[in-house]
C-alpha cells in the first residue's frame, strides 16, 4: 500500500504535467526520479525478502507529501480524488460572490496568456496558536486579483465565541506569471491550501437580477449573424451601445459586459462570444456545449472549409507560447526570442491566410522592443480561437473524426520470442551457410573425379541460388537480433543528470543516432564501457562552470553520444568539450606507477601518452595520485571492447575536449576469415586483421640482427614466420623462392607473417574453444569448413 | 498598546497583533455598543479581523492601508455571508 500510494502520487503529478496544467520543473523531475528509485528499491526488497523494508511507510508518506506539494491544485491524498469534482464546484460557487470587475480583470489576464491560479486556503482552526496569520499571507501573493473571505461555520453564540479559533476560509485568484509563485507564500501551510489553474472560460460568471425582462431577441439574432461572419467589431459596438441603455445591475448587463471583455481580446473566442450572447438573451448561465453546437451550425453554412484548423497550427502556436513563457537569462535573450517568435507567428499567419493577424503582428514587429506580454496575448487569442474553431469543426463533422487515428489503431504486430529460439535459428542458418560452401567442392569433385563436366556446371548454378538465399536468410536473422543503441543510450540522460547535479557541473547531453542497430550481444556488452567513459568525461573531463567561464567556454558543457554505422562496424563516439587529457601528466603518472620508465616516456608522442590510459593498472595510478587524467576503468573498457572484436581510440586536445571512439563489429555471428596454409595445416585469420597479402622474393628480406624485415612501399615491415609463432617445425625451408607474406595490422602495429601459401577467404561460424581446449592461448576458436575439416582460427594479438 | 479600548470606541493603531484578540472580544462583549476605529491601523491580524466580522461592532472608520482597504473593507461594510449571520447578541 505505501508503494502504490507513492506511485499514484507520481502518476498524478505526471498526469497534471501531461494535461498541461503545470510546467515540468527541475525540482519535480528530481522528486520523481527519487521516488522511482525508492520504488525500485522496495520492489527489489520485496522480491528478495518477501516483505517491504522497515520504515517504508514513513518514507512513502514523505515522498507522497513532497510530490503532492509539487502538484498545483494537488490534493493531500489520493483518497481525496473524489473530492476534486466537488472542489471545482465550490470554486465556481465562490466566484459568484466575487465582484464582477475583479473577475473581468482576471479574465482579461487569462486570455492574454497569463496563468490565473485559484487559491483556496482553509486554515486549521488552531492556526493562530502556531503564529499563523492567514489573511496577511495573501499580502505575499503576487498579482492578487481577488480575495474572498468567508466563515467556515456559523459564528454561533456570542458568549461561546472563541477569538483564537480560526473560522475563516479564503479564496483568491492570482495571475502571477511564473509557475509556483502563487504557492510560494503558502509553503508552510500547503496541507490546508489548494491551487488550481483557472481556464479563462471558468472565470466567466454572469451575475445580476433576472427580473428586468429587457427584450434581447433583436440583439440575439444580430449577435448570431455577426458571430457567423466572424465580425466581432460590430458585435462589440452593438454590445457597447446596448449596455448604455441597460441598468448596470441586471443579468443582461452583466452578460454584455462579459461579452465585451471577451470581444476586447486581440482575437475574440467565437465560442465564448456566442455563449454569452445567448446567455444575455436566455438569462441562463452560459452553456458551452450549446454554444459549440450553435457555432458549428453558424459556421457550417458560412465557410465550411475555413473552420478546419490543422492540428499542426495549434501545435506550433502552443510551442511559440511556451517559448515566450520561458524565463529568459537576460534582456538580449528575451529580445531575440521575441523577434523569433514574431517571425514564426507571421509565417503562420501568412500560411493560414490570416491577413488581419499579419497586420497586428507586423505592428508588433515594427515596435522593435515589442512587449512579450502583448505578443503572448495575440498568440493565446489565436490559439484559443483556433481551438474553438477546431472543436466546432469537430462537432460539425463528427463522422470525419470517427474514422480517425489510424496510426494509433494499427497497433504493431509484435511477437515475443525466446532469445534461445532465435539463437538456435541463427546457428542453423550459420551451419547452412557453411555447408553451402561444400557445393563448390562437390562440383570440383564431379568434374575432376567423376569427369562429369555438365553435372559440375549444374551444381555450380544451383550453388549460386542457394548462396543468395542463405545470404538473405542470414541477413534477416541478423535483423531479428539487431537492437537499436537507444537500449543503451536511454540510461544516460539520467546518469548525466544525476552526476552533473552531484558535481555541480552544468552538462548538456547530446545524443545522436540512437536508432543505429547492432547485434544484441554487442549492445548488451556496450553498457558498462560506455558508462565508464561517460562518467570519466563528467568527472575528469568537464570543468566546473566557473573554470569553463574562465576558459571562455559556454557554462554548460556538452557531452555528445553519437552512434553510426560505418561499413560493417558500429561506431560509438563519446566526446566532451572539457579540458582534455594532458599528456604530460599522464606520462608523469605512468612513470610514477612504473608502467613505463622515464626514458620511454621521453620517446612517447602525445597520442601514445594518451593511449597509456588503457594500460592495465594505470587506472588506479591516476586515481591515487588524484590526477585529472582519465584512467579510471579505461582498461576495463579496452578489454571489453577487445573481447567483442572492436577497438577503442582516444583523441584529446588539451583545453578542447576528448573524444573516445569505440568501433565494434555489427554482428558477431559470422566471421570472415582468411585461410592460410602453414606447417602443413590450415589456419584461419580474421579478415579484419589482414591488411594485404604480398609475395616477397627471398632476396628482399633483410635481416636486422635477429629480426627479419622487408620493405613494403618505403616502409620497413617486420616479418615473423608462422611456424615460429606456432612453435612448429619449419616445413618449406628457405628455398630462396617467393615468400607468401600476409601483412597484418594488430592494435595499430603492422607486421608481416610468412605462411606457406594463401587460400581463399571464407565465412565461418566461430565456436570458442571450450572444455580442455579453453585454456589454449593464441586461438579465437574453431570453425567447421565446407568439406568437413576443422579450421583453427588464430588470434594474432595473443600469439605475438 | 496598539489597541486602545475606550468605553464607546476601540481604536486600532499601527500593527495590531494576535495577542489583542481576547482583549477585543472581552471589550466588545462588555460594551455591545462600542464602535471600531481602524483609520490608523496599518496591520490587522486575522484573528482581530475575525472578531470584527463575527461580532460586527459598528465601524466608525475603515482602515486606510491599501491592502486592507482593498480586501477587508468590503467585508466590514457588508459582512461576508448573508445578513444576519453575526453573533446572536445576547445582551443587546
Amino acid at each position: 500500500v505505501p508503494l502504490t500510494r507513492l506511485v499514484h502520487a507520481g502518476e498524478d503529478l505526471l498526469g497534471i504535467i501531461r494535461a498541461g496544467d503545470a510546467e515540468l520543473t527541475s525540482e519535480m523531475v528530481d522528486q520523481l526520479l527519487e521516488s522511482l528509485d525508492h520504488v525500485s528499491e522496495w520492489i527489489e526488497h520485496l522480491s528478495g525478502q518477501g516483505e517491504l523494508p522497515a520504515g517504508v511507510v514513513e518514507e512513502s508518506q514523505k515522498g507522497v507529501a513532497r510530490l503532492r506539494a509539487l502538484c498545483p491544485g494537488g490534493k493531500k491524498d489520493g483518497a481525496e480524488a473524489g473530492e476534486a469534482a466537488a472542489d471545482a464546484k465550490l470554486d465556481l460557487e465562490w466566484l459568484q460572490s466575487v465582484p464582477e470587475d475583479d473577475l473581468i480583470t482576471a479574465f482579461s489576464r487569462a486570455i492574454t496568456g497569463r496563468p490565473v491560479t485559484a487559491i483556496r486556503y482553509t486554515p486549521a482552526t488552531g492556526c493562530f496558536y502556531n503564529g499563523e496569520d492567514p489573511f496577511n499571507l495573501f499580502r505575499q501573493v503576487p498579482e492578487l486579483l481577488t480575495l474572498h473571505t468567508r466563515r467556515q461555520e456559523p459564528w454561533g453564540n456570542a458568549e461561546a465565541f472563541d477569538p483564537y479559533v480560526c473560522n475563516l476560509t479564503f479564496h483568491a485568484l492570482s495571475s502571477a506569471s511564473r509557475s509556483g509563485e502563487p504557492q510560494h507564500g503558502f509553503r508552510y501551510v500547503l496541507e490546508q491550501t489548494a491551487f488550481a489553474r483557472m481556464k479563462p472560460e471558468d472565470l466567466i460568471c454572469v451575475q445580476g437580477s433576472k427580473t428586468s425582462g429587457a427584450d434581447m431577441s433583436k440583439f440575439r439574432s444580430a449577435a448570431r449573424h455577426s458571430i457567423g461572419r466572424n465580425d466581432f467589431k460590430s458585435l462589440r459596438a452593438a454590445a457597447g451601445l446596448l449596455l448604455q441603455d441597460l441598468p448596470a445591475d441586471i443579468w443582461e448587463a452583466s452578460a454584455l459586459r462579459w461579452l465585451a471583455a471577451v470581444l476586447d481580446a486581440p482575437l475574440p473566442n467565437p465560442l465564448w462570444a456566442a455563449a454569452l450572447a445567448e446567455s444575455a438573451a436566455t438569462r441562463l448561465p452560459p452553456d458551452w456545449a450549446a454554444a459549440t453546437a450553435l457555432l458549428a451550425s453558424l459556421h457550417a453554412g458560412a465557410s465550411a472549409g475555413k473552420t478546419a484548423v490543422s492540428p499542426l497550427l495549434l501545435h506550433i502556436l502552443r510551442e511559440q507560447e511556451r517559448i515566450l513563457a520561458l524565463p529568459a537569462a537576460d534582456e538580449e535573450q528575451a529580445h531575440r526570442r521575441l523577434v523569433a517568435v514574431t517571425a514564426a507567428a507571421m509565417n503562420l499567419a501568412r500560411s493560414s491566410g490570416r491577413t488581419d493577424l499579419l497586420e497586428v503582428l507586423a505592428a508588433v514587429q515594427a515596435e522593435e522592443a515589442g512587449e512579450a506580454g502583448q505578443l503572448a496575448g495575440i498568440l493565446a487569442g489565436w490559439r484559443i480561437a483556433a481551438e474553438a474553431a477546431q472543436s466546432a469543426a469537430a462537432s460539425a463533422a463528427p463522422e470525419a473524426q470517427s474514422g480517425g487515428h489510424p496510426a494509433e489503431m494499427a497497433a504493431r504486430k509484435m511477437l515475443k520470442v525466446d532469445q534461445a529460439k532465435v539463437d538456435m535459428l541463427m546457428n542453423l542458418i550459420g551451419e547452412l551457410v557453411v555447408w553451402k560452401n561444400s557445393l563448390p567442392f562437390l562440383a570440383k569433385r564431379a568434374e575432376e573425379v567423376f569427369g562429369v563436366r555438365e553435372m559440375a556446371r549444374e551444381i555450380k548454378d544451383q550453388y549460386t541460388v542457394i548462396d543468395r538465399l542463405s545470404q538473405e536468410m542470414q541477413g534477416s536473422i541478423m535483423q531479428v537480433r539487431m537492437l537499436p543503441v537507444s537500449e543503451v543510450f536511454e540510461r544516460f540522460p539520467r546518469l548525466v543528470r544525476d552526476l552533473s547535479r552531484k558535481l555541480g557541473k552544468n552538462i548538456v547531453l547530446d545524443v545522436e543516432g540512437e536508432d543505429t542497430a547492432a547485434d544484441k550481444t554487442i549492445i548488451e556488452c556496450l553498457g558498462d564501457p560506455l558508462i565508464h567513459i561517460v562518467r570519466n568525461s563528467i568527472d575528469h573531463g568537464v570543468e566546473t562552470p566557473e573554470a569553463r567561464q574562465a576558459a571562455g567556454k559556454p557554462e554548460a558543457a556538452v557531452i555528445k553520444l553519437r552512434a553510426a554505422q560505418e561499413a560493417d562496424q558500429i561506431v560509438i563516439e563519446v566526446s566532451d568539450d572539457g579540458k582534455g587529457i594532458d599528456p604530460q601528466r599522464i606520462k608523469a603518472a605512468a612513470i610514477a606507477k612504473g608502467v613505463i620508465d622515464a626514458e620511454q616516456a621521453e620517446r612517447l608522442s602525445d597520442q601514445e601518452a594518451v593511449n597509456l590510459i588503457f594500460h592495465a593498472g594505470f587506472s588506479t595510478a591516476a586515481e591515487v595520485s588524484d590526477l585529472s587524467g582519465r584512467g579510471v576503468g579505461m582498461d576495463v573498457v579496452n578489454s571489453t571492447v577487445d573481447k567483442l572484436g572492436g577497438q577503442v581510440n582516444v583523441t584529446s586536445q588539451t583545453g578542447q575536449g576528448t573524444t573516445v571512439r569505440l568501433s565494434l563489429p555489427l554482428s558477431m555471428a559470422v566471421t570472415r576469415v582468411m585461410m592460410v596454409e602453414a606447417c602443413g595445416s590450415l589456419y584461419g585469420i580474421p579478415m579484419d586483421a589482414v591488411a594485404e597479402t604480398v609475395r616477397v622474393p627471398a632476396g628482399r628480406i633483410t635481416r636486422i640482427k635477429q629480426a627479419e624485415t622487408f620493405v613494403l612501399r618505403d616502409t620497413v615491415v617486420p616479418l615473423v614466420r608462422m611456424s615460429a609463432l606456432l612453435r612448429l617445425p619449419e616445413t618449406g625451408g628457405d628455398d630462396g623462392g617467393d615468400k607468401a607474406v600476409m601483412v597484418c595490422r594488430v592494435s595499430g602495429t603492422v607486421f608481416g607473417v610468412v605462411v606457406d601459401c594463401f587460400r581463399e577467404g571464407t565465412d565461418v561460424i566461430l565456436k570458442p574453444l571450450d572444455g580442455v581446449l579453453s585454456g589454449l592461448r593464441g586461438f579465437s576458436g574453431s570453425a567447421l569448413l565446407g568439406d568437413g575439416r576443422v579450421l583453427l582460427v588464430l588470434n594474432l594479438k595473443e600469439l605475438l | 498598546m496598539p489597541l486602545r479600548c475606550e468605553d464607546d470606541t476601540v481604536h486600532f493603531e499601527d500593527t495590531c497583533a494576535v495577542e489583542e484578540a481576547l482583549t477585543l472580544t472581552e471589550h466588545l462583549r462588555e460594551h455591545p455598543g462600542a464602535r471600531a476605529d481602524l483609520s490608523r491601523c496599518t496591520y490587522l491580524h486575522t484573528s482581530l479581523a475575525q472578531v470584527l466580522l463575527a461580532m460586527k461592532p459598528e465601524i466608525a472608520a475603515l482602515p486606510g492601508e491599501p491592502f486592507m482597504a482593498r480586501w477587508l473593507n468590503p467585508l466590514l461594510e457588508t459582512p461576508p455571508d448573508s445578513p444576519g449571520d453575526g453573533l446572536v447578541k445576547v445582551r443587546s
Side-chain angles (χ1 to χ4, degrees), chain A residues 79 140 183 186-187 200 265 335 345 394 407 501 627 737:
Chain A
Q140 296 170 25
Q183 283 89 332
F186 299 95
R187 59 195 180 283
H335 181 72
R501 288 227 147 196
L627 253 177

Side-chain angles (χ1 to χ4, degrees), chain A residues 4-67:
Chain A
T4 40
R5 203 174 287 151
L6 185 61
V7 173
H8 282 162
E11 281 173 0
D12 288 351
L13 180 58
L14 286 171
I16 289 169
I17 294 162
R18 188 176 55 188
D21 290 341
E23 226 173 279
L24 187 64
T25 63
S26 188
E27 196 188 346
M28 288 181 187
V29 176
D30 279 349
Q31 207 58 67
L32 284 169
L33 288 177
E34 191 182 309
S35 309
L36 194 66
D37 286 346
H38 276 311
V39 170
S40 34
E41 196 180 297
W42 294 339
I43 289 177
E44 210 166 281
H45 202 280
L46 194 63
S47 64
Q49 328 226 333
E51 57 177 4
L52 286 169
V56 67
V57 178
E58 295 81 54
E59 199 56 56
S60 149
Q61 274 166 354
K62 264 188 256 166
V64 169
R66 281 192 298 255
L67 284 173

Side-chain angles (χ1 to χ4, degrees), chain A residues 229-242:
Chain A
R229 290 183 299 118
N230 279 331
D231 184 1
F232 298 114
K233 267 187 193 144
S234 63
L235 184 61
R236 171 75 179 87
L241 273 178
L242 197 57

Side-chain angles (χ1 to χ4, degrees), chain A residues 675-794:
Chain A
M675 288 197 289
V676 296
E677 219 173 282
C679 317
S681 40
L682 216 50
Y683 295 99
I685 291 172
M687 205 58 115
D688 49 1
V690 180
E692 60 184 305
T693 54
V694 286
R695 298 200 79 88
V696 183
R700 275 178 51 201
I701 298 177
T702 45
R703 197 170 266 281
I704 304 176
K705 290 196 178 164
Q706 291 301 308
E708 286 178 308
T709 58
F710 77 104
V711 177
L712 177 70
R713 287 189 293 275
D714 300 334
T715 317
V716 177
V717 178
L719 268 184
V720 284
R721 284 173 191 273
M722 186 67 111
S723 49
L725 280 181
L726 298 171
R727 303 210 177 82
L728 289 172
E730 192 92 24
T731 45
D734 274 328
D735 53 6
D738 284 1
K739 295 277 174 215
V741 176
M742 190 166 51
V743 182
C744 302
R745 189 189 303 269
V746 173
S747 26
T749 50
V750 177
F751 58 93
V753 180
V754 182
V755 295
D756 293 350
C757 72
F758 302 122
R759 300 289 287 271
E760 64 272 32
T762 185
D763 287 335
V764 295
I765 296 196
L766 204 54
K767 296 262 164 66
L769 296 174
D770 48 21
V772 280
L773 296 177
S774 60
L776 274 181
R777 283 177 59 83
F779 297 98
S780 306
S782 63
L784 214 54
L785 285 179
D787 55 359
R789 279 186 290 169
V790 171
L791 182 75
L792 281 172
V793 179
L794 302 175

Side-chain angles (χ1 to χ4, degrees), chain A residues 500-564:
Chain A
S500 62
R501 288 227 147 196
K502 206 160 79 191
L503 296 171
K505 292 174 181 178
N506 203 344
I507 297 170
V508 180
L509 179 70
D510 186 2
V511 180
E512 211 178 284
E514 59 263 70
D515 42 2
T516 313
D519 193 84
K520 190 169 185 290
T521 331
I522 305 264
I523 295 291
E524 278 168 355
C525 295
L526 264 179
D528 284 343
L530 276 180
I531 285 180
H532 272 301
I533 297 169
V534 170
R535 205 183 282 157
N536 273 341
S537 276
I538 297 171
D539 210 11
H540 306 299
V542 171
E543 314 94 323
T544 54
E546 298 81 49
R548 288 185 65 86
Q549 266 181 338
K553 297 187 202 178
E555 207 171 291
V558 178
I559 291 188
K560 255 192 209 152
L561 212 52
R562 202 179 69 90

Side-chain angles (χ1 to χ4, degrees), chain A residues 465-498:
Chain A
V465 178
I466 296 177
D467 187 43
R468 183 176 56 79
L469 284 177
S470 62
Q471 297 237 332
E472 270 172 33
M473 271 170 84
Q474 200 187 323
S476 47
I477 197 74
M478 292 301 169
Q479 287 300 318
V480 172
R481 278 181 59 94
M482 290 289 208
L483 281 181
V485 281
S486 57
E487 293 274 320
V488 189
F489 281 9
E490 67 192 4
R491 62 177 109 159
F492 284 103
R494 173 83 197 268
L495 178 87
V496 171
R497 199 189 135 83
D498 283 359

